[in-house]
């Protein structure tokens, strides 16, 4: 019985220690809503991935996209949307949009053969 109580006590202490460490982590990982596509060719003319051409495109939506959008000002001069109140921000290969009807969306991608960053969305 003493061994079981000692084991339970150790597990509880370890759990509390891990929880405390995670609470103090300055940039914790958080879940997000999104989608991805693996393809070849160009974004506007996607094909099935091939041995010599594989790209990855991510679309992030909701609160995570809003946070990304908010950290990359200023707004672009032009947007792809004609909706009143639409906004767009881009830095290199990260592009985020805001449309009053859809909310926030961000796009980015990678060339899986080279590992280099590429655009993940098109107008």
């Amino acid at each position: 019985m003493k061994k079981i109580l000692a084991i339970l006590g150790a597990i509880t202490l370890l759990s509390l220690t891990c929880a405390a460490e995670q609470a103090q982590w300055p940039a914790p990982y958080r879940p997000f809503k999104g989608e991805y596509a693996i393809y070849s060719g160009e974004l506007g003319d996607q094909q099935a991935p091939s041995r010599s051409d594989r790209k990855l495109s991510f679309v992030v939506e909701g609160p995570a996209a809003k946070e990304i959008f908010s950290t990359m000002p200023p707004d672009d001069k032009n947007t792809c949307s004609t909706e009143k109140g639409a906004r767009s921000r881009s830095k290199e290969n990260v592009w985020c949009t805001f449309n009053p009807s859809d909310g926030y969306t961000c796009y980015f991608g990678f060339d899986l053969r080279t590992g280099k960053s590429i655009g993940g969305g098109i107008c």
Side-chain angles (χ1 to χ4, degrees):
M1 184 69 166
K2 287 183 181 182
K3 286 184 181 181
I4 293 174
L5 288 175
I7 291 171
L8 288 175
I11 291 171
T12 302
L13 183 60
L14 188 60
S15 296
L16 291 173
T17 302
C18 289
E21 285 179 18
Q22 191 173 24
Q24 294 175 4
W25 186 256
Y29 283 94
R30 295 178 293 234
F32 65 91
K33 179 183 173 196
E35 299 176 318
Y36 71 94
I38 299 175
Y39 65 97
S40 68
E42 301 300 319
L43 278 170
D45 185 25
Q46 295 176 338
Q47 306 295 318
S50 68
R51 286 184 174 262
S52 61
D53 186 16
R54 292 184 186 168
K55 297 173 184 134
L56 174 64
S57 173
F58 285 102
V59 179
V60 177
E61 300 170 318
K66 181 179 181 179
E67 184 175 1
I68 296 166
F69 183 96
S70 297
T71 62
M72 49 189 295
D75 284 5
D76 297 334
K77 291 180 183 177
N78 299 312
T79 67
C80 294
S81 176
T82 58
E83 185 177 353
K84 185 176 181 176
R87 299 167 63 195
S88 176
R89 294 180 178 177
S90 57
K91 300 291 185 234
E92 295 289 328
N93 292 316
V94 180
W95 172 46
C96 294
T97 63
F98 170 76
N99 289 301
S101 61
D102 299 330
Y104 293 89
T105 307
C106 292
Y107 307 85
F108 56 95
F110 298 95
D111 183 317
L112 294 174
R113 301 292 295 168
T114 65
K116 291 183 179 178
S117 172
I118 61 173
I122 56 173
C123 244

